[in-house]
Amino acid sequence: MSLTSVKEILQHASKHVYAVPAFNIFNYESAMWAIKAAEKVRMPVIIQFFPGYTIHVSMRVIVDTVKDLARNARVPVGLHLDHARDFETAIAGIAAGFSSVMIDGSALSFEDNVALTSQVRRVATVFGIDVEAELGHVGSGSKLDDFTNPNNYTDPKEVKRFVELTDVDSLAIAVGNGHGHYLTAPVLDFERISAIKAETDIPLVMHGGSDIPDEQIRESVIRGMSKFNIATEYGCAMYKAQEPVVAQQDSHFGVLHAMEEKVLEYLTAKFELLNPNGYRGDEK
C-alpha cells in the first residue's frame, strides 16, 4: 500500500465516527513505530512533521522515509506537514513531496487568515495536495489564558464562511485545547465542538492532543473530531521507554529494539482511545 490522501483518511474517519492519530515524528523509528502500531490495530495513521525540526533533518528526508515505509504498510498512511505559519513554508512542504500541508494563519485576523489560506489552497490545488487550516487560535498549554479564555476559541458562526471562502479539506479548531504540556487539565468545550460540526461537513482537527483526559478525548470523537495531533506525549513515551534501557545496559546498541515494546504499547492504546465505536479496517 502506498501513501493515502489525508483528506480520504479523515473523511472515512468522520463517516465511521473514529479519529485518526497524527503523530509528529522526527526520524525513521518514530515513523516506523507509529505505522507498526496502526497495522497492529488495523487502523489508518497520519505521519506528520513540524517544520521547526528542519534544523535537524530535511523535509525531503522525512518524505522519502515515510513514503518508503508506506509502500510496505498494510494500512492507509497519510503524510502531513504540520503548522506551516507562512506561505513559503507551506510551499516548501509541497515541493518536498508532502501530500498534505497545514497553513496556520490562526494568529491573524479573520480576513488575513482567509487570504493566506486561500493563497496556499490555490497552489495546493494545482498539485493535488490536501490543505488543513486553523480558525480560532490554539495556543500553548503552558499559558493558562491560551486554553481557558473563550476569546481564543473558534467561533462557530465564522466556520461556514471560512470554509466556503478557503475551500480547505480539514479545519483545526480551538475549544479549550493547547499545544505541549498543560499547566492544568484542560476542560474542552463539547457544546462548541457540536456547534462547529453542525456548520461544516469537513473533518475537524484537535491540536494539542497530548495529555487531554481520556474521557474528554472519547467525547470529542463522538462529538465530531476526526484527527488528533500528538507530539509532546509521543516524545515523552519514547523518552520513558528509553530511560530504563540506557540505565540498565552495558552496551547501548540494543536500545531501540528494547524500547519498541513499550512505545508500541503507548501507541496502540492511543489508537484504541480514539476509536470509541470499535471500528476496524476490514469493515467498509
Side-chain angles (χ1 to χ4, degrees), residues 22 32 55 104 126 135 229 234-235 241-242 252 261 271-273:
M32 179 266 291
I55 61 173
D104 181 4
V126 173
L135 184 63
N229 286 15
Y234 186 25
Q242 181 188 46
H252 294 164
E261 182 179 356
F271 277 99
E272 297 292 359
L273 178 62

Side-chain angles (χ1 to χ4, degrees), residues 135-148:
L135 184 63
H137 182 61
V138 181
S140 172
S142 64
K143 298 177 181 178
L144 193 62
D145 188 69
D146 279 8
F147 66 96
T148 61

Side-chain angles (χ1 to χ4, degrees), residues 41-102:
V41 296
R42 305 199 310 277
M43 299 291 292
V45 65
I46 296 168
I47 305 299
Q48 63 184 27
F49 180 72
F50 177 60
Y53 286 162
T54 53
I55 61 173
H56 304 295
V57 59
S58 72
M59 291 186 188
R60 180 66 69 181
V61 168
I62 292 297
V63 167
D64 290 346
T65 298
V66 176
K67 284 184 175 179
D68 185 60
L69 287 166
R71 270 192 289 271
N72 298 309
R74 300 190 301 275
V75 295
V77 177
L79 175 60
H80 178 70
L81 180 67
D82 190 26
H83 277 295
R85 289 190 170 88
D86 53 50
F87 176 81
E88 291 75 17
T89 302
I91 301 312
I94 293 173
F98 283 91
S99 52
S100 176
V101 298
M102 181 201 185

Side-chain angles (χ1 to χ4, degrees), residues 5-21:
S5 159
V6 169
K7 177 180 178 180
E8 180 181 332
I9 288 173
L10 294 182
Q11 287 177 337
H12 188 276
S14 182
K15 176 182 177 181
H16 291 275
V17 195
Y18 67 90
V20 182

Side-chain angles (χ1 to χ4, degrees), residues 221-235:
V221 175
I222 293 168
R223 297 274 184 151
M225 303 303 302
S226 298
K227 174 176 178 267
F228 273 73
N229 286 15
I230 303 168
T232 301
E233 195 177 85
Y234 186 25

Side-chain angles (χ1 to χ4, degrees), residues 153 173 175-176 186-197 206 212-225 228:
Y153 296 0
I173 59 174
V175 290
V187 180
L188 301 183
D189 188 339
F190 299 125
E191 295 302 322
R192 191 178 296 263
I193 295 174
S194 295
I196 293 169
K197 188 65 178 176
M206 179 76 74
I212 294 175
D214 288 358
E215 64 275 11
Q216 293 192 44
I217 288 179
R218 292 190 192 96
E219 183 66 19
S220 298
V221 175
I222 293 168
R223 297 274 184 151
M225 303 303 302
F228 273 73

